Amino acid sequence: MQRIFSGIQPSGIPTLGNYLGAIRNWVPLQADHECIYCVVDLHAITQWQEPSLLARQTRELAASLMACGIDPVGQILFLQSLVPEHAELAWIFNCVARLGWLNRMTQFKDKAGKDRENASAGLYVYPNLMAADILAYHATRVPVGDDQRQHLELANDIAQKFNHDFGADFFPAIEPLILGPAARVMSLRDGTKKMSKSDTSDQSRINLNDSAAAIAQKIRRARTDPEPLPGEPAGLEGRPEARNLVGIYAALADTDEAGVLSQHGGKGFAAFKEDLAGLLIATIGPIAAETGRLLADPAHVDGVLRGGAERAKRIAGPIVAEAKRLVGFLAA
Ligand code: AMP
Ligand code: TRP
């Protein structure tokens, strides 16, 4: 059985982008894989997180993942900072990865923005920690949104260079799983920007805890162009906002762009948005309700993350110990 690993940052409330690009695809993989899902708080602090909020966001994210259908009993759901092997292996990878490789990472450029001198060093080596997350478990398949593709290529480069430098066939190759018609959900205000938890405008995204009224209002106000919907996907060319809403609809309705357009082509956006809002409310409403129910017992949610960490450590411990031995460190 192949081992799956994926992670999500507790840097805010998960968005529709997280859900359609990642979490929703994590759920069915549980049927025939050993799955390890991680709340990556070490990654979150690469950008400023208010300490008084971080623990709460961590717990809310864990509850939200369970509400989406992540199984914390049959699989592993845990908190990254409770398993020190991640940071330990990341340090080794800091010494394997080359500056030239990191300089090509587009996410660093996006997140650091114009004031690059003031970005944290952690943000720069973020992809090395992500490689460590996956490789500490010898995981081979990683379900993520499209924006993580380049980081997974880097993880494969690190694994190969480690194996080469230390003369061992130790770390396996990683296969990215980038699934579904909404692997890149864009902002509702700007079809060229990705939907993000940390966007300053709440109108740019659907949060997994938004009320039905908020969802309907955000979709109604979502930016579009004045043309009606085209009859086929070619007509979405150069219309990023239209393509985004069609992609979201396709993912929710388990179809593709062509399927959506064969049904809705020729309609104006007002009617289409109403249908889309209905679908969204039917999907997200129950997730928000179940998240709320789980959060009524915060100790249980925290217990899941701690129990998951103990089980994760039993897998990562021996793998990271062997990596240290290969590097030449004196055994403990
Ligand atoms: P993050 O919120 O950055 O921790 O991302 C967690 C997961 O959600 C990763 O697999 C991302 O690729 C995915 N993801 C985040 N934002 C989007 C988006 N706008 N569209 C699709 N997937 C996304
Ligand atoms: N960097 C990922 C993101 O922000 C989150 C992440 C951290 C991750 N470690 C991971 C995803 C390991 C997959 C595997 O989207």
Side-chain angles (χ1 to χ4, degrees):
M1 191 154 36
Q2 296 217 56
R3 187 174 283 156
I4 297 265
F5 187 99
S6 200
I8 178 167
Q9 304 183 67
S11 47
I13 294 156
T15 68
L16 182 66
N18 295 129
Y19 182 67
L20 296 180
I23 305 168
R24 201 176 85 123
N25 303 318
W26 296 2
V27 175
L29 289 166
Q30 299 177 122
D32 50 3
H33 291 81
E34 177 187 357
C35 297
I36 305 176
Y37 295 129
C38 185
V39 176
V40 292
D41 52 352
L42 299 178
H43 278 101
I45 64 162
T46 58
Q47 294 183 293
W48 174 250
Q49 301 297 324
E50 202 56 51
S52 61
L53 281 182
L54 186 59
R56 197 176 86 200
Q57 285 176 183
T58 296
R59 184 180 299 127
E60 287 175 1
L61 177 56
S64 180
L65 291 171
M66 288 189 267
C68 289
I70 300 304
D71 168 12
V73 179
Q75 309 295 342
I76 295 179
L77 174 62
F78 79 106
L79 183 60
Q80 188 186 32
S81 62
L82 293 176
V83 181
E85 279 78 1
H86 291 246
E88 234 182 328
L89 186 59
W91 180 259
I92 294 175
F93 287 173
N94 284 345
C95 304
V96 172
R98 306 288 92 185
L99 286 185
W101 301 357
L102 291 172
N103 286 338
R104 286 196 286 275
M105 293 296 115
T106 59
Q107 182 175 288
F108 175 77
K109 292 177 198 164
D110 289 346
K111 287 193 174 178
K114 288 195 181 63
D115 193 10
R116 197 177 293 190
E117 295 284 308
N118 197 34
S120 76
L123 187 65
Y124 188 67
V125 294
Y126 173 119
N128 299 343
L129 176 60
M130 181 164 162
D133 293 342
I134 301 161
L135 291 166
Y137 299 87
H138 279 180
T140 50
R141 314 188 83 192
V142 182
V144 286
D146 187 61
D147 61 319
Q148 297 302 310
R149 192 187 291 276
Q150 195 185 33
H151 288 159
L152 294 182
E153 283 165 13
L154 184 90
N156 272 325
D157 290 343
I158 291 175
Q160 265 182 28
K161 181 162 164 61
F162 181 99
N163 290 347
H164 176 265
D165 290 355
F166 299 107
D169 186 15
F170 185 59
F171 288 120
I174 299 166
E175 180 196 349
L177 301 179
I178 298 170
L179 306 166
R184 181 178 282 270
V185 177
M186 308 311 279
S187 156
L188 300 177
R189 307 302 315 163
D190 176 352
T192 63
K193 244 171 71 185
K194 113 178 152 167
M195 182 180 287
S196 159
K197 291 185 200 99
S198 49
D199 196 299
T200 47
S201 161
D202 189 59
Q203 292 293 318
S204 71
R205 60 176 167 265
I206 306 281
N207 305 308
L208 288 192
N209 70 352
D210 276 346
S211 67
I215 293 170
Q217 187 251 41
K218 286 177 179 179
I219 293 297
R220 223 179 298 121
R221 290 199 192 155
R223 192 168 151 188
T224 44
D225 56 45
E227 301 296 314
L229 281 162
E232 39 200 77
L236 293 171
E237 222 36 66
R239 302 176 65 187
E241 283 86 12
R243 164 158 283 149
N244 189 37
L245 296 185
V246 169
I248 293 171
Y249 195 110
L252 293 168
D254 264 320
T255 175
D256 54 14
E257 285 179 350
V260 175
L261 295 176
S262 70
Q263 203 191 337
H264 296 275
K267 268 192 197 167
F269 274 103
F272 180 68
K273 282 175 165 181
E274 209 169 299
D275 286 357
L276 176 58
L279 261 182
L280 272 168
I281 291 165
T283 310
I284 290 175
I287 296 175
E290 177 63 7
T291 305
R293 199 188 63 75
L294 288 162
L295 286 172
D297 187 354
H300 170 73
V301 179
D302 295 3
V304 163
L305 290 175
R306 291 197 188 99
E310 276 173 36
R311 290 159 57 213
K313 199 176 160 65
R314 269 181 246 137
I315 303 174
I319 293 175
V320 174
E322 178 60 11
K324 289 165 73 176
R325 195 191 64 78
L326 287 168
V327 169
F329 293 163
L330 189 64

